[in-house]
Amino acid sequence: MATTSTVETLSNADEAAEHIARQAFADAQVGTVGLELESHTVELTVPHRRVAWNRLGEIADSVPDLPGSSAITFEPGGAVELSGPPHADVWSAISSMRADHSILTSTYRAAGVALASLGTDPLRTPERVNPGARYAAMASHFGALGFGETALQMMTCTASLQVNVQAGPPGQWRDRFALAQQLGPTMAALSASSPMLAGRRTGYRNTRQWIWDNLDPGRCAPVEIGSDPTESWVRYALRAPVMLVRNKEGADAVVTHVPFQSWADGSVPLGGRAPTTEDLDYHLTTLFPPVRPRRWLELRYLDAAPDWWWPALAFTAVAALDDVRVADIAAEAVEPVGEAWDAAARIGLEDRALHAAGHRLVSAACAVAPPELAADMAFLLERVEQGRCPADDFIENVAEYGVEKAFSGASQ
């Protein structure tokens, strides 16, 4: 789904707006799906320590060719991410990710490292092991703006399941963008798997969502979607502060609040030069709203979840947007809780309105699920009827086995 363009210097904010608009949404029929799944890496002999950076890479080099062609990358805290290519339908995306994740998990476990698919690291304190310049600069930027501790938690202690769907035909862009965002609180409650952080109960079902809620709203808050979704995204992106200015050595952190618009129109110089389209493209990668348009739509609000949860969660999110038999039901179900991010993070499905929305949404998705996912969907529906999410299972495992064993077994 990547695009390329010629690098040009931006003369003013209007040129920046035009560049953002050209790549916000792409005219495409719905159906194609991409998945990205992050997992914490846990050294089995010393679970309370993070896996060394060099060791992570060495194990990755030994992973056999993945049948689903997923790419392997690492997050700042050492979490491993599988990024699957676009697939023609949601079942193909899920089955391919399942196969790749199984191979990745078995390879790492054979080397003494478990993969734990949870929204937050429940055991270890925040610590960056990825030496990339981008992440050091990100930490400096967030710290200067007063979000240092929360940003470190986000970068090193969170993991997600990201679902990517097409934007659809132009006439559907606004409604699909809006519905994708309104689904967020309900899906955050359904997927909540992060009740602990750094060895302690946080009091939240979805601590990952709480972390995002407490980061810079200028780049992390939901987009205010007006009648024209492209204009809405352009406005959001131009107002968002510049995080990094790239140079030959890497990137310099911007330690004051400078909206990209101010750099583009020349009122605040950065790096001793005007921004380029390449700078703007990089800026767009530092924006983290719950739904991010990148010609397609990235759904960024699901907690990573164990193997017996995430396929059904992914299918439910996609069915709500791409299946005409589910979309209208989904829109009606989640409309009352479309902005209930705080309740989703705090109590999840214990919130009556979120529980009602989640039950109706999953029931509708179950009715259209392929036979290969019938058992997964039935399991999810049963748990939703019980008002349970992955966080409940994890807490029970912690009570029975202790946090270290529960953490190292959280993908199985």
Side-chain angles (χ1 to χ4, degrees), residues 166-181:
Q166 296 287 16
Q172 297 181 15
W173 290 350
R174 194 269 170 197
D175 289 345
R176 283 177 63 77
F177 192 12
L179 177 55
Q181 195 156 273

Side-chain angles (χ1 to χ4, degrees), residues 34 42 93 156 174 202 222 249 306 328 337 377:
V42 190
T156 68
R174 194 269 170 197
T202 63
E249 287 72 38
D328 288 344
V337 291
M377 293 303 298

Side-chain angles (χ1 to χ4, degrees), residues 3 31 52 57 61 91 128 133 138 170 197 199 209 222 242 296 304 315 327 331-332 341 345 360 365 386 397:
T3 61
D61 290 340
W91 168 242
R128 186 169 61 87
M138 283 179 67
L197 182 68
Q209 186 59 51
V242 181
W296 60 94
F315 180 82
E332 185 177 285
W341 296 100
R360 191 174 179 195
Q386 298 168 350
N397 288 338

Side-chain angles (χ1 to χ4, degrees), residues 107-169:
T107 302
Y108 269 82
R109 184 167 282 273
V113 176
L115 301 188
S117 296
L118 296 169
T120 54
D121 185 327
L123 178 62
R124 301 168 300 195
T125 56
E127 179 186 357
R128 186 169 61 87
V129 298
N130 188 324
R134 171 183 169 95
Y135 300 119
M138 283 179 67
S140 296
H141 169 85
F142 277 122
L145 270 60
F147 302 101
E149 181 179 1
T150 308
L152 187 60
Q153 292 169 342
M154 176 272 288
M155 288 193 289
T156 68
C157 295
T158 64
S160 69
L161 166 65
Q162 183 170 300
V163 177
N164 303 314
V165 298
Q166 296 287 16

Side-chain angles (χ1 to χ4, degrees), residues 206-258:
N206 193 324
T207 303
R208 176 181 172 274
Q209 186 59 51
W210 174 83
I211 290 170
W212 281 109
D213 287 345
N214 285 274
L215 271 172
D216 182 1
R219 72 174 69 252
C220 302
V223 179
E224 293 183 9
I225 305 171
S227 58
D228 185 334
T230 300
E231 289 184 1
S232 300
W233 177 238
V234 168
R235 181 169 57 250
Y236 185 100
L238 288 178
R239 290 178 177 176
V242 181
M243 176 183 285
L244 311 171
V245 175
R246 292 198 289 184
N247 54 44
K248 293 181 180 179
E249 287 72 38
D252 291 326
V254 179
V255 295
T256 56
H257 184 96
V258 181

